[in-house]
Amino acid sequence: MARALACHGPASLEALTRYAYDDVPEARLGVAARSALAHLLKLEGEGRAEQRAGEWMARQP
């Protein structure tokens, strides 16, 4: 998820999910989005990501 965020951010959760899980069938994207959100929240807790106005972005060290 950190790589998708660095390459495609700032982006919405939906867009990042599609980038990071591009091999997941459409019917499974809801589950993939929950996994992506968990990763993003972990990155946010580590100070490596932030969310503003519904878009996630990498934070600079």
Side-chain angles (χ1 to χ4, degrees):
M1 186 53 58
R3 189 174 326 143
L5 190 59
C7 292
H8 302 287
S12 67
L13 173 61
E14 180 181 349
L16 289 169
T17 300
R18 289 184 184 276
Y19 292 128
Y21 297 98
D22 61 349
D23 60 338
V24 172
E26 185 78 24
R28 301 278 182 178
L29 283 177
V31 174
R34 286 191 294 274
S35 178
L37 179 59
H39 286 289
L40 289 167
L41 291 172
K42 178 185 178 290
L43 292 171
E44 183 179 46
E46 295 171 350
R48 297 172 53 199
E50 66 181 291
Q51 182 184 25
R52 281 194 226 151
E55 291 195 327
W56 287 91
M57 60 202 74
R59 289 188 68 193
Q60 302 301 320

